[in-house]
Amino acid sequence: MTAAGMMAAAARPIADVLRDLGATAEAGLTAGEAGRRQARYGPNAVSSCRARPLSVLWHQVRSPLLGLLATAAVASYFVGERGDALIIGGIVGLSVGLGFVNEYRAERAAEALHSQIHHETDVIRGGRWTRVDVTELVPGDLVELRLGDIVPADLRLIEVTGLECDESVLTGESLPVEKDTAAVPAGTPLAELSGCALMGTVVHAGRARGIVVATGADTEFGRIAAGLSTHQLDTAFQVGLRRFSMLLAYVAGGLTTSIFVLNVALHKPIINALLFSLAIAVGITPQLLPAVVSTSLAAGSRRMSRRKVLVKRLVCIEDLGDVDVLFTDKTGTLTQGRIDYARAVPAGDDGPDRVLRWGLVCTENADLNGQVVEVVGGNALDQALWESPAAAVEWAALAGYNRLAVLPFDHDRRMVSVLVRDPAGELTLVTKGAPESVLDRCVEVPTTARDALAAEFAAGNRVVAVATRPPTVSDEHGLHLSGLLVFLDPPRPDAADALRRLAGLGIAVKVVTGDNPAVAVKVCHDLGLGGGGALTGVDLDALDDTHLAEAITTTVFARVSPEHKARIVRVQRRSGGGVAFLGDGVNDALALHAADVGISVDSATDVAKDAADVILLEKDLDVLADGVTEGRRIFANTIKYVLMGTSSNFGNMASAAGASLFLSFLPMLPSQILLNNLLYDTGQLAIPTDTVDDEQLRRPSHWDIAFIRRFMIFFGPLSSVFDFVTFAVMLWVFHSGPAQFRSGWFVESLATQTLVIFAIRTRRVPFFRSHPSLPLTLAAL
């Protein structure tokens, strides 16, 4: 069904839409019918990450310098310098070919990484719930939506419970939109399709069930995306690379123009002077820098993938090495993430069994209709509660309960409420959620209950409060506390070592959590992370950004909202350095977007994985430390090539320019300059394999254009000293003519440029205390 069909479905009754799509609200599609529709409609995807050879080739040949060089080669061919023209053309072709091969390999690596990142959704197939990849959805599928889900296709809603969707990605509307199941008038604008959930939007609150009406490019999102030329913002590494390229452009432009003018003024042939000047411009440019960067990133992505780190954008690998502050959630990162139900603590007349039973009843993931039909999904605490041995004992007792209505959990209330009818026919409103939120809505909370809650928090345990009341118009107020459900989530045994490793890498770790401050501080204290208290969301609201920047040295931020998390990250970024955020929930999406590097895990919500730059296949800080180390290693090797290329090329080209002023002939033919540059650069393609000194991995890596400029200006002329000694030997000892002079300098220049890598690749003195990789050594030899 097309996007126009989606608009028509929004205006029709639910029964008509189900009939047209050949589905029922209870059974959905059969597996066989879903397969046939998959073959007809194709995958439910707007676009895919594919390596496209033509676009990679265009990226190689669009260089202005290469264009000028090719033009000059053609001109020289027609004025009789055909040998030089063919040699220059061959060198240009080899340069483009090398760059193409390496960059295409990097694109293929990115494609392989994207193929490992999946989103799944709950679907009814043949009357049974199952989880499928969103790309397998077809028109007619029945889909379940929960808080934090990204809507996987265009849906006509058939059941809605408090559903609100963030549709800003399509409509620009910043406020969530309430949804229902009613048909809308024909011609209703996109922003007012209240009976539909549209692909790419995010479930902000509530839950719903809908039937897929359109998939892939036929959705409203797909139609809009097809008309856009999407361009992701440049990373910090790309910005630094662009600034470096501008520096080279200024140097090459000034040097080339000066050499051309001087050679013409000295009455040398104009075509030779032009070719020589252009060759100087090409020679001073690290022409294979994109190939070296691409090779480094592709090799690094493969190594990181083996270490269970997937990078959605290859250039983010370098930014990962730039990180010096990491904000992370506590659950599953510092703690084991395997939450176990421990006990129920009654607060009044209810006994522990009664508190547990109310906790089991008050859940979104169990279908209660006189019996427990099925338990599907749900949050980690509910899953732990239902999977506990204590729940198995209560299972039979739940058979007489009927759930009549649900007010789903959201991050503002931090509670879920259900209306149930017990076996005696009595109606009860049961509320379960964060203790602070629930207790604020309770009357006459016993002091013993507050003391018990404080003791559990001090022990580092997670606690959920359960309260009840007869249903009235003032639901979720005037509650009576039934008791507390206590869960254990102990620290990971390897977390302390991982934190020490990150500290050794110069990364400050800060915990940002929605959990209770006392629990978060206790866990951090047990792991030796930081000291002192915690800042809460209420504390943050009282601070402006200036005072927050001063207070952000705090290690623990607790009971914070999604907006608080994003604000903390933005303020930290303004203070300088690279900021990473590790999160896996819908409430982390804003902070993931705000960070220099957003990091999520493979088990995260869809919205978190889409917002992240890096996906960890294990929620483990050790895995993250591996990724940071790899990012710094790649950056260090990239900088090696940059320093080598700029300094030695600048020195050689400065020597060529100086020699051309006092020699009656060109010191090196344009084709020799280009061949020298090509051979030298080809040997440096092994740099990505090089080892990196440990001391270079212990601190964040940043672009420093001023340092690169100083290094080029100092080291370049220093390397020219060897060139001028060679000139003196060739002229005054061997009395060389043009051919021998050029050959002699060609050999010396190539040898010094190739061998100087062993000095530039390390900052150890003497340089031979640092051992290069075998491929780099062989390439140099």
Side-chain angles (χ1 to χ4, degrees):
M1 187 174 288
T2 63
M6 178 68 221
M7 306 290 278
R12 303 185 65 195
I14 294 170
D16 292 350
V17 176
L18 288 169
R19 185 180 61 252
D20 291 347
L21 290 168
T24 66
E26 295 78 24
L29 301 175
T30 65
E33 178 61 22
R36 285 189 289 272
R37 296 191 184 192
Q38 178 85 39
R40 176 182 173 187
Y41 293 103
N44 177 37
V46 175
S47 62
S48 59
C49 177
R50 289 179 180 164
R52 295 176 173 84
L54 289 179
S55 64
V56 175
L57 181 62
W58 168 245
H59 188 258
Q60 298 301 315
V61 301
R62 68 181 181 179
S63 164
L65 281 177
L66 280 179
L68 282 173
L69 201 57
T71 302
V74 171
S76 63
Y77 179 85
F78 285 107
V79 298
E81 301 290 339
R82 297 185 177 181
D84 282 352
L86 290 175
I87 292 173
I88 293 171
I91 292 170
V92 170
L94 280 172
S95 178
V96 170
L98 282 169
F100 171 81
V101 168
N102 284 279
E103 190 161 339
Y104 184 66
R105 286 179 61 193
E107 292 279 338
R108 291 289 299 273
E111 181 181 343
L113 288 181
H114 275 261
S115 68
Q116 297 181 54
I117 300 172
H118 301 282
H119 294 323
E120 293 185 331
T121 189
D122 291 328
V123 177
I124 295 180
R125 293 263 175 93
R128 294 184 60 84
W129 283 106
T130 183
R131 286 189 68 79
V132 302
D133 194 284
V134 295
T135 60
E136 298 175 13
L137 287 181
V138 296
D141 269 329
L142 292 176
V143 175
E144 185 85 0
L145 296 179
R146 295 189 179 92
L147 175 67
D149 286 351
I150 295 178
V151 180
D154 281 356
L155 309 178
R156 176 69 168 91
L157 298 173
I158 59 178
E159 292 181 21
V160 167
T161 306
L163 183 67
E164 295 181 3
C165 289
D166 179 353
E167 297 184 339
S168 57
V169 68
L170 290 178
T171 65
E173 173 61 52
S174 59
L175 296 177
V177 179
E178 293 184 4
K179 297 292 183 177
D180 54 42
T181 60
V184 298
T188 299
L190 179 69
E192 298 176 18
L193 296 181
S194 58
C196 299
L198 302 175
M199 183 184 196
T201 62
V202 179
V203 178
H204 180 266
R207 60 187 300 167
R209 186 176 297 178
I211 184 168
V212 176
V213 176
T215 58
D218 290 335
T219 62
E220 289 292 330
F221 184 87
R223 184 176 60 82
I224 294 172
L228 297 177
S229 176
T230 54
H231 175 69
Q232 292 177 298
L233 296 176
D234 286 344
T235 67
F237 175 78
Q238 288 173 306
V239 171
L241 200 59
R242 187 169 60 248
R243 291 176 59 206
F244 169 67
S245 300
M246 290 303 298
L247 168 66
L248 287 182
Y250 292 138
V251 173
L255 198 58
T256 302
T257 303
S258 302
I259 291 172
F260 178 71
V261 170
L262 286 173
N263 276 276
V264 171
L266 293 173
H267 305 293
K268 293 178 181 176
I270 291 181
I271 190 66
N272 287 345
L274 176 62
L275 285 172
F276 183 70
S277 301
L278 288 175
I280 290 289
V282 174
I284 203 172
T285 306
Q287 209 166 315
L288 292 186
L289 178 59
V292 169
V293 171
S294 298
T295 304
S296 296
L297 294 177
S301 69
R302 289 190 292 272
R303 279 190 294 269
M304 292 176 76
S305 179
R306 288 194 293 269
R307 295 182 178 186
K308 301 184 179 180
V309 181
L310 301 182
V311 183
K312 291 166 64 178
R313 296 176 67 195
L314 290 181
V315 291
C316 291
I317 295 176
E318 268 99 351
D319 287 320
L320 192 57
D322 193 25
V323 167
D324 48 19
V325 177
L326 169 67
F327 292 100
T328 179
D329 192 10
K330 171 179 66 67
T331 305
T333 308
L334 302 182
T335 62
Q336 292 185 13
R338 190 194 69 251
I339 300 172
D340 296 319
Y341 169 70
R343 58 188 171 274
V345 180
D349 296 334
D350 288 342
D353 294 344
R354 186 72 168 170
V355 176
L356 172 60
R357 191 174 307 162
W358 286 133
L360 290 168
V361 166
C362 187
T363 181
E364 296 180 66
N365 66 325
D367 207 357
L368 298 174
N369 293 301
Q371 59 179 330
V372 181
V373 178
E374 191 173 8
V375 181
V376 180
N379 63 61
L381 293 176
D382 277 347
Q383 289 178 7
L385 192 61
W386 276 96
E387 293 169 1
S388 66
V393 175
E394 292 292 324
W395 193 278
L398 296 173
Y401 285 83
N402 282 275
R403 187 175 65 190
L404 306 179
V406 180
L407 185 57
F409 178 91
D410 65 56
H411 293 289
D412 295 324
R413 293 166 34 255
R414 293 189 296 171
M415 297 183 300
V416 58
S417 292
V418 300
L419 180 62
V420 296
R421 179 183 288 115
D422 65 17
E426 183 178 345
L427 294 179
T428 305
L429 176 76
V430 187
T431 298
K432 182 176 72 177
E436 297 92 334
S437 299
V438 174
L439 265 61
D440 283 345
R441 299 172 186 242
C442 288
V443 294
E444 299 177 356
V445 177
T447 303
T448 54
R450 294 190 182 276
D451 292 342
L453 178 63
E456 297 293 352
F457 280 156
N461 298 330
R462 302 189 69 174
V463 183
V464 171
V466 181
T468 63
R469 64 158 300 152
T472 66
V473 293
S474 58
D475 293 342
E476 288 190 333
H477 289 84
L479 300 167
H480 297 279
L481 184 66
S482 176
L484 308 173
L485 299 174
V486 181
F487 297 84
L488 304 179
D489 187 14
R492 295 175 64 110
D494 57 350
D497 290 338
L499 288 171
R500 282 192 290 271
R501 186 178 171 198
L502 287 171
L505 292 171
I507 297 176
V509 178
K510 300 179 184 294
V511 176
V512 184
T513 178
D515 209 344
N516 180 271
V519 175
V521 169
K522 175 67 165 58
V523 171
C524 291
H525 179 268
D526 290 346
L527 295 173
L529 181 62
L535 284 178
T536 65
V538 175
D539 299 328
L540 298 180
D541 289 335
L543 299 174
D544 59 22
D545 285 356
T546 302
H547 289 91
L548 177 57
E550 297 171 358
I552 215 165
T553 53
T554 302
T555 300
V556 178
F557 300 85
R559 286 294 190 230
V560 289
S561 68
E563 290 75 17
H564 288 140
K565 294 180 180 182
R567 183 182 171 213
I568 291 168
V569 170
R570 285 194 296 268
V571 170
Q572 179 63 50
R573 284 189 68 181
R574 286 200 289 270
S575 67
V579 178
F581 185 90
L582 172 58
D584 60 1
V586 63
N587 56 333
D588 296 319
L590 291 175
L592 288 167
H593 274 299
D596 291 301
V597 183
I599 306 168
S600 193
V601 293
D602 194 39
S603 58
T605 60
D606 289 350
V607 66
K609 286 195 285 189
D610 276 4
D613 304 302
V614 176
I615 305 291
L616 305 182
L617 298 183
E618 287 184 4
K619 196 173 184 181
D620 184 351
L621 290 181
D622 246 334
V623 172
L624 180 59
D626 289 340
V628 170
T629 302
E630 188 62 33
R632 293 183 183 178
R633 197 191 67 79
I634 293 171
F635 186 88
N637 282 336
T638 302
I639 292 299
K640 288 177 189 177
Y641 177 80
V642 166
L643 293 178
M644 280 179 40
T646 52
S647 59
S648 60
N649 285 0
F650 179 74
N652 282 335
M653 297 310 105
S655 300
S660 67
L661 297 180
F662 63 83
L663 291 175
S664 58
F665 53 86
L666 292 178
M668 197 181 291
L669 294 174
S671 56
Q672 288 178 306
I673 293 176
L674 296 175
L675 180 60
N676 183 299
N677 188 54
L678 177 69
L679 292 173
Y680 165 64
D681 272 354
T682 303
Q684 306 319 306
L685 286 175
I687 285 180
T689 69
D690 193 24
T691 56
V692 176
D693 298 337
D694 289 341
E695 51 267 31
Q696 289 183 267
L697 301 176
R698 293 186 192 133
R699 58 186 181 277
S701 46
H702 307 288
W703 274 100
D704 188 345
I705 301 300
F707 170 74
I708 294 172
R709 183 170 55 244
R710 289 194 304 270
F711 191 90
M712 178 177 68
I713 293 173
F714 173 78
F715 201 91
L718 184 64
S719 66
S720 293
V721 172
F722 296 97
D723 293 331
F724 284 109
V725 169
T726 302
F727 296 163
V729 171
M730 298 302 296
L731 291 174
W732 298 330
V733 176
F734 295 109
H735 305 289
S736 302
Q740 191 179 53
F741 183 94
R742 292 163 181 162
S743 298
W745 186 35
F746 180 91
V747 172
E748 179 271 332
S749 171
L750 189 57
T752 54
Q753 282 189 106
T754 303
L755 295 176
V756 78
I757 176 61
F758 297 106
I760 292 179
R761 59 170 296 278
T762 180
R763 297 181 187 179
R764 293 181 179 176
V765 179
F767 66 84
F768 50 77
R769 290 175 53 217
S770 174
H771 301 293
S773 68
L774 180 61
L776 181 63
T777 304
L778 295 176
L781 292 176

